[in-house]
Amino acid sequence: MTKLNNALTLFFSLLVEAMPFLLLGVLFSSVLLLFVDERKLVALVPKNPALAALSGSLIGCLFPVCECGNVPVARRLLVQGAPSAMAIGFLLAAPTVNPIVFWATYTAFRDQPEIVFLRLGCSLLIATIIGWIFSAQVDLRPLMQPAIARMMPAPLKPSKPSGYVGDGPVPELLQPGTFLLGQSGQPLRFDGLLQSSAVSSSVLSKPLAVRFQLMLENILQELRELGGVLIIGAAIASILQVTIPREWVLGLGQDQITSILAMMLLATIVSICSTVDAFFALSFASIFTTGSLLAFLVFGPMIDLKNIALLLSIFRGRAIVYLFAIAGQLTFVLALLVNIYLS
């Protein structure tokens, strides 16, 4: 009975903590859909995949949301045709690099300022590397949930000159695909990015009152969808917290390697929002190594049980496994280097 009460307390605590940030993220997502021309935003993204991933990571500085709020924004970016490197970089970095989290981390670790800057730098580095790796997948739709994949534009194929297939020229109207007649009388390919651009243009041309009404409807729809997923994730995290003995995790705190693994496991289970997780980590500062504290602060905002439930609204399971594995390995290596050379 005590465990049940503790689980319910943790469950409602996680919901109260996460729901305002989920609402903020859904609000950003709806504004992005109905009041911002994504074509101009996407056009500003560098063509180089590594630079695109870095720019997406840095855009996270402008969004004061935790991992609950950045998921709807990242989903909107992918649906509107943003490069996968940019969207993935934003998805992983935004919960950590925004000014609210930076201020909260500095407040908690003002006596260890190196942790504040290492958290920022490691999060940007890992998010950029993973975004760059995912850019190798030209068509991201096989890794997405079917509902999201259907809304995403098909990738363009710029590798061959227009009108040429195989060894000889082929008229464009004999090629597969959907075409429109352009102003100069030349055929224009309609599939791919142009499809989402047309949809975006039709929404932006509507009167302001209509767009506000559409924004409200979109907010309610995304809250119903992501709110249900958040409840499931919070329930799983609460149950695991009361069933796995915390003493078992704390017993691993002094070793350079096991302390990192223990804090990464703890970050995954407790699923604390990035805006307050620094104060939770501070309570372990006298027991655990510096590298393990850094691992907790970097890995938790990227992948935790509550966040996995939200990510499943965008990605298929194997894509989340890739994210989990790559982010986990990079976090472990960086935290181990900190333990060896800076502790």
Side-chain angles (χ1 to χ4, degrees):
M1 193 63 184
T2 302
K3 285 189 175 182
L4 179 60
N5 289 334
N6 291 338
L8 286 174
T9 301
L10 290 168
F11 171 71
F12 287 114
S13 298
L14 287 174
L15 282 187
V16 169
E17 185 181 59
M19 194 56 76
F21 292 98
L22 178 62
L23 179 60
L24 191 59
V26 169
L27 182 62
F28 272 124
S29 169
S30 301
V31 170
L32 194 64
L33 171 65
L34 297 166
F35 293 95
V36 177
D37 190 343
E38 292 87 357
R39 292 171 299 176
K40 296 180 180 177
L41 182 63
V42 171
L44 296 175
V45 179
K47 302 302 180 186
N48 182 282
L51 293 178
L54 179 61
S55 65
S57 303
L58 292 174
I59 289 175
C61 300
L62 306 176
F63 288 82
V65 295
C66 69
E67 60 270 30
C68 307
N70 71 328
V71 171
V73 179
R75 183 172 68 170
R76 180 65 55 203
L77 290 172
L78 286 168
V79 169
Q80 296 299 339
S84 57
M86 172 200 176
I88 298 293
F90 170 83
L91 179 70
L92 298 177
T96 306
V97 302
N98 70 72
I100 291 180
V101 173
F102 182 85
W103 173 78
T105 309
Y106 177 78
T107 303
F109 287 94
R110 62 175 71 245
D111 295 331
Q112 296 175 275
E114 68 275 11
I115 288 184
V116 182
F117 295 100
L118 282 171
R119 182 185 197 186
L120 180 67
C122 291
S123 298
L124 281 175
L125 178 62
I126 293 173
T128 302
I129 290 176
I130 297 179
W132 176 68
I133 291 174
F134 268 72
S135 70
Q137 176 77 18
V138 177
D139 188 357
L140 206 61
R141 291 176 296 174
L143 299 177
M144 313 299 289
Q145 291 291 349
I148 303 297
R150 283 194 294 271
M151 291 188 288
M152 292 176 63
L156 299 177
K157 300 177 180 178
S159 58
K160 292 183 179 180
S162 176
Y164 284 80
V165 174
D167 296 327
V170 177
E172 286 191 325
L173 288 178
L174 296 182
Q175 298 176 25
T178 304
F179 293 85
L180 297 175
L181 189 63
Q183 293 181 350
S184 60
Q186 297 299 315
L188 300 175
R189 182 177 286 277
F190 181 72
D191 53 355
L193 188 60
L194 291 178
Q195 189 173 6
S196 64
S197 300
V199 173
S200 177
S201 298
S202 65
V203 172
L204 292 174
S205 62
K206 292 182 181 298
L208 191 61
V210 175
R211 278 191 279 168
F212 271 115
Q213 183 179 354
L214 291 173
M215 186 181 79
L216 181 60
E217 292 175 358
N218 190 71
I219 288 174
L220 294 176
Q221 179 183 345
E222 290 198 345
L223 272 182
R224 280 199 300 269
E225 181 182 349
L226 295 178
V229 174
L230 176 64
I231 290 173
I232 295 174
I236 295 173
S238 304
I239 292 172
L240 287 180
Q241 281 194 60
V242 297
T243 52
I244 295 180
R246 184 166 293 187
E247 294 75 14
W248 179 78
V249 178
L250 295 178
L252 305 173
Q254 296 301 318
D255 186 80
Q256 285 190 339
I257 294 178
T258 60
S259 63
I260 297 173
L261 298 175
M263 288 303 275
M264 290 173 64
L265 176 63
L266 189 63
T268 305
I269 294 173
V270 298
S271 303
I272 297 179
C273 285
S274 58
T275 51
V276 295
D277 62 355
F279 299 98
F280 182 86
L282 183 63
S283 63
F284 298 96
S286 60
I287 306 172
F288 278 79
T289 60
T290 302
S292 66
L293 296 176
L294 180 66
F296 178 90
L297 295 171
V298 171
F299 187 67
M302 292 184 181
I303 305 288
D304 61 34
L305 289 176
K306 171 167 57 64
N307 196 26
I308 288 174
L310 289 171
L311 290 175
L312 280 172
S313 68
I314 304 179
F315 299 103
R316 292 179 185 269
R318 60 174 171 149
I320 297 177
V321 171
Y322 297 153
L323 286 173
F324 186 91
I326 300 172
Q329 292 177 63
L330 290 173
T331 302
F332 177 80
V333 170
L334 291 173
L336 186 60
L337 290 175
V338 169
N339 273 348
I340 295 174
Y341 294 107
L342 298 181
S343 292

